[in-house]
């Protein structure tokens, strides 16, 4: 996680409270501090200059229970140390203390009850600070970042990254290794996600993936998450991973209606050289799942039907729609006719269509008659059927989440 993420949150907390704010790690080393709010006291200036808490100031803080605190603690002023009052807010993540958020008295306005009331509205920000500090404490953080960067570049066919990947001891028996690409569909609650919410989501996804022994490599991006996963236990491994990623997105969203999470799975890797192709397969499968409700939210490459063809041949974002589709769309006030035709084209028999639509066969034939009247030709004739079927699927594909 970037230090800029922590800095952005600290500045937001300081601006909301109207107080100076800083963050220390568990050793007392200064991690970052806010743009100044009011006048800094002498104790804070000393800490800023040394990037650590001087021993005499630490002793005063510990005297008031700071070292063992798991809940906010007020530290009273100490004129001899040049210290004004401050509030210690322990940063707790999964029951583990990861650092301390300090709120500093910088003027004559100070009310601990009022600050605690304001902090109640900053729970998301403080939770994210705690998680980011937890992440930074990982001794393998730098190695993880390097591996993530290598994997991401290899997915995009970078020759040097692919060469590096060949040296990874975990990459054996590639006939059980797949690329999984996970993306959350935008919803009204998440379309305008803040930077802090995006950071929360990244942290949640990283921690979820780290808990899976079958995960060999990851890349968490703002638009999607890419995972190299060994499915030695078959589809159950992939389903469990998709379930856990869905739970992580829902938890991080903190909304009544979290976005659905779609994932695409490539065919087995077999060789490292196939990674870029497998990545594209997983992306297309995930996008297809996001636009077509008939496709499972965890979609295998073999299940995407015409969307693989469209992805490789339909590059533009401007649809050159068919006249037959336009006529039907104009006559279809509630979408029933287009839906009926799509289900008919996708099904094996009239009985199957009637069951899926919960219609009597007579009602189905009535709808097909309305479609014929709307477009001026039989929609089941060969050329008309092919044009309409591809136009319907192309319209869906144009709405895919962009990566």
């Amino acid at each position: 996680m970037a230090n800029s993420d922590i800095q952005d949150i600290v500045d937001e907390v300081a601006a909301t409270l109207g107080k100076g704010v800083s963050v220390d790690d568990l050793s007392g080393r200064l991690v970052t501090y806010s743009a100044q709010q009011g006048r800094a006291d002498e104790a804070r200036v000393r800490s800023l200059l040394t990037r650590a808490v001087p021993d005499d100031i630490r002793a005063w803080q510990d005297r008031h229970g700071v070292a063992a605190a798991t809940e906010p603690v007020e530290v009273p002023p100490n004129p001899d140390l040049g210290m004004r009052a401050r509030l210690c807010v322990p940063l707790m993540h999964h029951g583990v203390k990861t650092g301390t958020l300090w709120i500093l008295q910088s003027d004559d306005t100070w009310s601990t009850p009022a600050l605690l009331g304001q902090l109640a509205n900053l729970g998301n920000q403080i939770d994210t600070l705690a998680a980011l500090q937890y992440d930074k404490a990982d001794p393998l953080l730098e190695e993880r970042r390097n591996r993530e960067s290598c994997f991401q570049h290899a997915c995009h066919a970078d020759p040097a990254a692919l060469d590096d990947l060949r040296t990874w001891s975990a990459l054996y028996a590639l006939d059980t290794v797949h690329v999984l690409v996970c993306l959350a569909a935008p919803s009204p609650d998440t379309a305008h996600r803040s930077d802090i919410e995006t950071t929360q989501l990244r942290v949640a996804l990283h921690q979820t993936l780290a808990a899976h022994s079958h995960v060999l490599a990851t890349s968490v991006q703002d638009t999607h998450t890419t995972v190299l996963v060994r499915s030695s236990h078959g589809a159950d491994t992939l389903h469990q991973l998709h379930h856990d990623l869905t739970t992580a997105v829902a938890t991080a969203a903190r909304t009544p209606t979290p976005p659905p999470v779609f994932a695409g799975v490539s065919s087995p890797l077999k060789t490292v050289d196939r990674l870029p192709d497998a990545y594209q397969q997983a992306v297309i499968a995930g996008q297809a799942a996001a636009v077509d409700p008939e496709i499972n939210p965890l979609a295998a490459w073999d299940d995407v039907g015409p969307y693989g063809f469209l992805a490789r041949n339909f590059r533009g974002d401007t649809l050159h729609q068919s006249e037959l589709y336009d006529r039907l769309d104009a006559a279809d006030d509630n979408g029933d006719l287009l839906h009926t035709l799509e289900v008919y084209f996708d099904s094996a028999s009239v009985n199957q269509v009637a069951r899926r639509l919960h219609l009597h066969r007579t009602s189905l034939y009535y709808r097909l008659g309305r479609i014929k009247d709307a477009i001026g030709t039989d929609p089941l004739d060969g050329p008309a059927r092919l044009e309409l079927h591809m136009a319907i699927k192309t319209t869906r594909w144009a709405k895919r989440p962009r990566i």
Side-chain angles (χ1 to χ4, degrees):
M1 297 300 152
N3 285 334
S4 59
D5 291 331
I6 295 177
Q7 185 65 58
D8 289 344
I9 297 173
V10 166
D11 287 340
E12 179 177 339
V13 171
T16 300
L17 299 177
K19 306 292 182 188
V21 172
S22 63
V23 172
D24 293 350
D25 64 17
L26 288 177
S27 69
R29 184 180 63 86
L30 179 67
V31 175
T32 191
Y33 56 91
S34 64
Q36 184 57 46
Q37 296 281 339
R39 181 171 58 84
D41 62 20
E42 180 184 332
R44 186 184 188 202
V45 172
R46 289 170 60 196
S47 297
L48 294 180
L49 290 175
T50 61
R51 302 292 297 183
V53 181
D55 291 342
D56 53 354
I57 296 174
R58 182 195 296 274
W60 178 252
Q61 292 173 170
D62 289 348
R63 180 176 168 182
H64 293 88
V66 166
T70 58
E71 298 289 341
V73 173
E74 182 179 20
V75 178
N78 185 327
D80 293 338
L81 298 177
M83 248 179 109
R84 291 190 172 194
R86 56 202 63 206
L87 187 65
C88 157
V89 182
L91 298 175
M92 306 295 296
H93 184 66
H94 296 323
V96 176
K97 190 173 180 178
T98 67
T100 304
L101 173 71
W102 288 98
I103 303 167
L104 310 168
Q105 181 182 11
S106 49
D107 53 36
D108 293 332
T109 62
W110 182 263
S111 168
T112 298
L115 284 173
L116 292 174
Q118 289 177 287
L119 285 174
N121 297 320
L122 292 168
N124 285 357
Q125 289 85 338
I126 293 172
D127 288 348
T128 305
L129 277 177
L132 289 171
Q133 281 297 107
Y134 183 91
D135 194 66
K136 284 184 65 178
D138 181 358
L140 301 178
L141 177 60
E142 195 61 34
E143 178 184 345
R144 191 191 76 194
R145 285 175 172 170
N146 290 337
R147 287 172 65 87
E148 181 169 357
S149 176
C150 175
F151 176 54
Q152 180 184 349
H153 283 88
C155 285
H156 291 89
D158 181 280
L162 287 168
D163 284 342
D164 193 345
L165 228 63
R166 292 186 185 95
T167 68
W168 291 14
S169 59
L171 297 187
Y172 62 89
L174 293 178
D175 56 335
T176 63
V177 174
H178 304 260
V179 177
L180 180 145
V181 169
C182 176
L183 54 150
S187 72
D189 292 326
T190 61
H192 303 290
R193 184 186 291 134
S194 69
D195 291 341
I196 289 177
E197 290 168 331
T198 299
T199 300
Q200 289 174 328
L201 178 57
R202 288 206 311 272
V203 170
L205 291 172
H206 272 299
Q207 293 182 351
T208 298
L209 293 168
H212 276 265
S213 60
H214 300 288
V215 169
L216 307 178
T218 65
S219 174
V220 178
Q221 306 296 310
D222 287 346
T223 57
H224 65 294
T225 297
T226 308
V227 186
L228 197 62
V229 58
R230 186 182 304 285
S231 60
S232 53
H233 295 289
D236 287 348
T237 300
L238 299 171
H239 283 288
Q240 185 62 51
L241 181 57
H242 177 241
H243 173 270
D244 291 348
L245 290 171
T246 300
T247 300
V249 170
T251 301
R254 296 176 184 264
T255 63
T257 54
V261 175
F262 302 100
V265 180
S266 72
S267 54
L269 205 57
K270 298 192 182 296
T271 68
V272 170
D273 292 332
R274 271 211 65 248
L275 178 62
D277 288 336
Y279 169 71
Q280 287 300 320
Q281 287 182 352
V283 167
I284 293 167
Q287 291 174 318
V291 298
D292 195 330
E294 295 300 319
I295 296 178
N296 195 296
L298 176 62
W301 166 248
D302 292 338
D303 297 335
V304 301
Y307 296 109
F309 172 83
L310 290 173
R312 290 175 168 143
N313 293 279
F314 176 66
R315 301 297 183 185
D317 290 332
T318 302
L319 287 178
H320 300 285
Q321 200 57 266
S322 78
E323 289 188 13
L324 294 180
Y325 181 96
D326 289 343
R327 291 175 201 160
L328 183 55
D329 187 43
D332 195 7
D333 294 334
N334 56 17
D336 283 347
L337 300 183
L338 279 167
H339 180 57
T340 297
L341 204 55
E342 183 177 20
V343 171
Y344 192 101
F345 291 156
D346 289 345
S347 300
S349 69
V350 172
N351 288 338
Q352 187 182 56
V353 177
R355 284 196 303 271
R356 289 177 61 185
L357 293 175
H358 305 290
L359 288 176
H360 190 275
R361 286 174 57 123
T362 302
S363 299
L364 173 60
Y365 287 130
Y366 172 72
R367 282 194 188 178
L368 291 174
R370 287 179 57 199
I371 293 170
K372 181 176 181 180
D373 292 342
I375 65 176
T377 189
D378 187 347
L380 306 185
D381 280 348
R385 177 176 183 144
L386 178 61
E387 178 180 336
L388 284 165
H389 200 179
M390 290 308 298
I392 290 170
K393 297 303 184 185
T394 301
T395 301
R396 284 199 182 278
W397 184 244
K399 299 173 183 176
R400 67 195 180 280
R402 296 306 198 266
I403 290 179

